[in-house]
Amino acid sequence: MDSGVRVRLAPSPTGSPHVGMIRTALYNWLFARGRGGTFIVRIEDTDQARLVEGSVEEMLGSLRWLGIDWDEGPDIGGPNAPYYQSERLEGYRRVAEALVERGAAYRCDCAPERLAEVRKASGGYDRHCRERGLMEGDSPSVVRFAMPLDGRTVLDDLIRGTVAFENGLVDDFVALKSDGFPTYHLANVVDDRAMGISHVFRGEEWLPSSPRHLQIYDALGWEPPRFAHLPQILAQDRSKLSKRHGATSVREYREMGYLPEAMVNFLALLGWSLDGKTEVMSADELKRVFTLERVSRSGAMFDAKKLEWMNGHYIRQASHERLADALLEYWEAFPQGGVSPLPEREALLRVAPLVRERMKTLQDAAPLLGFFFQDEVEYDTAELAQKGMDAAGTREALIRALDALEGLEAFDGDSIEGALRALAGELGIKAGQLFGSIRVAATGLRVAPPLFGTLEALGRERSLSAIQKAADRLAG
RNA sequence: GGCCCGUUCGUCUAGCGGCCUAGGACACCGCCCUCUCAAGGCGGAGAUCACGGGUUCGAAUCCCGUACGGGCUACCA
C-alpha cells in the first residue's frame, strides 16, 4: 500500500483558513488518498508577529468538517513530531550553520535602514555582507543564503512544465532571522526533507521562490521533492480573493448553510476537471480519479452561484436522514437562523423532505419550516383573501373546507387534495384561490412547502384549528 | 521597474493538428409541468478560441512576437 507518496499541508496560523488554502489541502489529500500515500499537516508558525490565536484550531476544524483527514499532524502527532515549526528551531539553526560552513550562506548585520535604501536604489539586496566573513555573535545578525551568481535554476513543475530562473537575479534571501526563527524558505526545505515529503503542491504564488528552495536542496546535497504549483483562486474582479469580496473562509460558508460534500466537490472543480462533463463527484470518487495532469494552469474565479447550485443539488439528493441531521447540526451550531427550541429528529424527518427541493442552503429551511414547530402562526389577515376574492367569500370557502376536511376518512395528502379540489369546483372558484387561502391559514406564509403534504404533516387537528382561526379572523 | 506565470461563451471548463459549422456545467432568456415557491423537462441566446506573424495540405491545438491580466520582488507566508 505504501506508494512512497508523502504530501503535506503547511498552513501558517495567521487567521481564518482561506478557501485557497483549503483547496490546496484538498488536492494534497486527494492525491495522497488516491495512491495509498500519507497526508501530513504541519504548522508553519515561524512569523511570531503575525500569529493569530485560534487559527490552528480553526484550520483543523475546517478540514475535519470537510472530511479531510490527516495521518500526522499537530493534534495527533506522528513519527516526525513535533509538527509546529516553532518547536523545531534547533534543526533549522543547525542547517543554517552547516550552510555557512559550506560557504553557501553567510551572516549579515545590515541595518534595516540600509536595506531599505539599497532596495530602493537597486531593487534588492546588494550582497554587502557576502564576503565579510561575519561570525555569529559579532553583532545581531541574520543568515543569508548565497545564491550562485551565474547559471540558472531549472524547475520541472508537474503542472507548468519547465520553468527557468536566472540565478544572478535572485536575491541573497534571509534564511535565518535575527530572532533565531527561520524564514519560510529554510524551514520549508528542512522539514520537507525531514518528513520525507515526496511532492509539494502549493499555491502559484510560490513559484517565484522555488529557485531559492531548489538551491538550498542543492547546497545541502539533498534530493528535492517534485513540485506542482496550483493555480490561484480569484475573486469576481479577477484579483486575489480577499475579505472585501465577501466570504473567504470555510467557516463562513459553513455558517451560511453549505454542506461539506458540496464544498469539497465545488472546490475540487476550481482548477481541476475530470473530463469537462462530469461535475458531481463524491469525495471517494474524487480520490479515485484525481490527477495532476488535469489541473489547469490558469486562475479560477470563485463562482458563488455555482457553489449555491451545487449545494442545492446535494441537499436534494441527500437522504431524509442526512438532511435532517445536517439541519439539526446546523441549527445547533448557529441558532440565530434556526428553529428553536430544536425540534425532535422524528418530527424534522417528516417535514424536511417537503422543502428540500426549494433549498439552496441550510439557511433556507427554517423560514419554510418554522411554522411546524410553533403553536400559533402569524400573518396579516389581509393575506388570506386571494386575488379576485373578498373577505366574505374567503371566509365561506374556509368554512366549507373545514367541513370537507373534517369528513375525510384518511387525512393524507392525496385525500386532502381530492377533497379540496372537489370543493373548489363546487364553490366555482379556482383551485389556486382556495389553496392559497388555506396555505396562509395553515402556514402563515405565501411561499410555503406543498400544501397537501403540509396539512398531512400538521395533522387533522392542527390543520382544522388553523383554518377555523382564519375563518374567525375574517368574520371581524 | 525587474523576474515568473497565465489568456477558449459572463463564470468553471472540454479540446492535447483534421472528429470543432468549438462540447458540457453554472448563470441568463423562453416554453412545458404546476396549489405558492422551487425542483424537473425541453429549447434559446452566448466564444471572430486575446491579437499579429509564422510552421503545416490543414491550428483553438506547434513556434515567435505583442497586448492584457495575475503573482513575486520583506528579518510575511
Side-chain angles (χ1 to χ4, degrees):
Chain A
M1 198 55 186
D2 186 5
S3 57
V5 167
R6 292 179 59 82
V7 296
R8 99 281 125 123
L9 179 73
S12 180
T14 54
S16 291
H18 187 99
V19 290
M21 174 90 273
I22 296 296
R23 193 209 43 184
T24 299
L26 179 62
Y27 285 10
N28 271 285
W29 179 72
L30 290 174
F31 186 80
R33 291 292 175 258
R35 274 150 257 265
T38 301
F39 178 52
I40 299 167
V41 174
R42 179 179 74 219
I43 306 302
E44 310 228 330
D45 55 345
T46 56
D47 185 350
Q48 295 298 284
R50 297 205 310 155
L51 293 185
V52 173
E53 189 72 24
S55 28
V56 172
E57 265 325 302
E58 191 180 337
M59 176 82 224
L60 264 25
S62 293
L63 292 176
R64 272 190 217 105
W65 178 67
L66 290 169
I68 296 175
D69 60 339
W70 50 99
D71 307 298
E72 300 176 27
D75 56 331
I76 56 176
N80 300 290
Y83 294 89
Y84 282 95
Q85 292 188 324
S86 58
E87 295 171 18
R88 315 178 122 249
L89 263 26
E90 196 39 47
Y92 311 127
R93 180 187 298 270
R94 265 207 312 276
V95 173
E97 283 314 320
L99 249 14
V100 171
E101 273 164 36
R102 289 166 187 236
Y106 58 91
R107 301 214 74 104
C108 162
D109 64 357
C110 289
E113 300 73 41
R114 198 191 101 76
L115 257 18
E117 259 171 54
V118 173
R119 186 155 44 234
K120 219 166 140 191
S122 62
Y125 178 59
D126 59 0
R127 312 190 207 271
H128 178 253
C129 296
R130 187 155 164 144
E131 307 299 341
R132 291 176 66 207
L134 258 31
M135 304 289 281
E136 180 173 16
D138 283 355
S139 54
S141 62
V142 300
V143 172
R144 280 185 186 277
F145 186 84
M147 280 296 292
L149 271 8
D150 43 37
R152 340 172 69 198
T153 299
V154 178
L155 167 70
D156 182 20
D157 190 274
L158 258 13
I159 292 171
R160 276 149 225 283
T162 302
V163 184
F165 302 85
E166 209 66 51
N167 291 152
L169 261 21
V170 180
D171 263 4
D172 283 356
F173 60 92
V174 172
L176 197 67
K177 307 182 231 180
S178 56
D179 64 359
F181 277 72
T183 58
Y184 171 90
H185 310 299
L186 212 221
N188 208 255
V189 167
V190 170
D191 286 340
D192 281 347
R193 167 72 177 193
M195 298 182 179
I197 299 304
S198 61
H199 302 257
V200 171
F201 307 145
R202 61 186 4 171
E204 188 181 3
E205 67 272 21
W206 291 108
L207 195 51
S209 50
S210 56
R212 297 174 167 183
H213 307 147
L214 255 12
Q215 284 300 145
I216 298 178
Y217 279 105
D218 194 60
L220 261 9
W222 293 347
E223 180 74 18
R226 300 305 307 274
F227 288 91
H229 290 90
L230 275 20
Q232 208 116 62
I233 293 183
L234 279 16
Q236 303 289 332
D237 57 3
R238 296 220 77 95
S239 70
K240 204 168 167 178
L241 192 63
S242 69
K243 273 292 159 209
R244 70 191 167 83
H245 299 105
T248 54
S249 74
V250 175
R251 203 204 116 79
E252 289 170 277
Y253 283 98
R254 181 181 179 187
E255 186 158 0
M256 288 189 284
Y258 286 89
L259 254 26
E261 48 270 52
M263 215 63 211
V264 164
N265 196 157
F266 175 73
L267 252 19
L269 254 21
L270 265 191
W272 173 88
S273 69
L274 177 59
D275 52 16
K277 290 190 169 41
T278 314
E279 304 247 298
V280 179
M281 285 167 277
S282 68
D284 282 339
E285 289 178 277
L286 287 168
K287 287 180 200 169
R288 280 197 301 276
V289 299
F290 180 83
T291 57
L292 249 23
E293 293 73 59
R294 300 203 57 86
V295 173
S296 70
R297 281 154 295 277
S298 50
M301 196 179 285
F302 190 95
D303 184 358
K305 281 284 184 199
K306 185 149 185 174
L307 204 214
E308 207 174 57
W309 164 79
M310 187 160 278
N311 202 57
H313 176 86
Y314 273 94
I315 287 174
R316 267 171 258 131
Q317 63 92 64
S319 68
H320 295 180
E321 288 73 19
R322 166 71 184 127
L323 213 214
D325 290 338
L327 281 171
L328 249 15
E329 182 192 312
Y330 178 66
W331 289 341
E332 194 166 7
F334 309 102
Q336 322 81 36
V339 170
S340 73
L342 237 42
E344 291 294 314
R345 183 166 186 270
E346 278 309 307
L348 190 56
L349 229 29
R350 268 200 310 280
V351 301
L354 291 171
V355 298
R356 64 177 186 163
E357 58 247 346
R358 46 221 91 201
M359 295 169 59
K360 283 187 177 358
T361 68
L362 297 178
Q363 243 173 357
D364 299 332
L368 250 25
L369 295 176
F371 70 88
F372 276 116
F373 309 106
Q374 287 165 205
D375 296 331
E376 208 65 39
V377 294
E378 287 169 34
Y379 56 88
D380 239 343
T381 303
E383 301 278 329
L384 286 167
Q386 299 300 293
K387 207 171 180 182
M389 293 190 65
D390 57 16
T394 301
R395 178 163 186 269
E396 169 67 12
L398 289 175
I399 288 171
R400 293 287 298 277
L402 235 29
D403 287 339
L405 261 21
E406 226 154 23
L408 239 35
E409 197 72 23
F411 202 75
D412 59 63
D414 288 345
S415 309
I416 295 169
E417 177 167 11
L420 258 22
R421 280 193 190 283
L423 175 60
E426 285 171 35
L427 293 171
I429 61 176
K430 285 186 191 154
Q433 292 176 307
L434 210 215
F435 299 164
S437 297
I438 298 178
R439 172 176 301 111
V440 172
T443 69
L445 305 167
R446 310 186 72 154
V447 172
L451 186 59
F452 316 116
T454 296
L455 294 180
E456 177 183 334
L458 239 22
R460 193 191 306 255
E461 196 184 324
R462 287 183 67 188
S463 297
L464 294 183
S465 113
I467 295 171
Q468 179 64 257
K469 275 191 187 114
D472 292 347
R473 286 170 72 153
L474 249 13

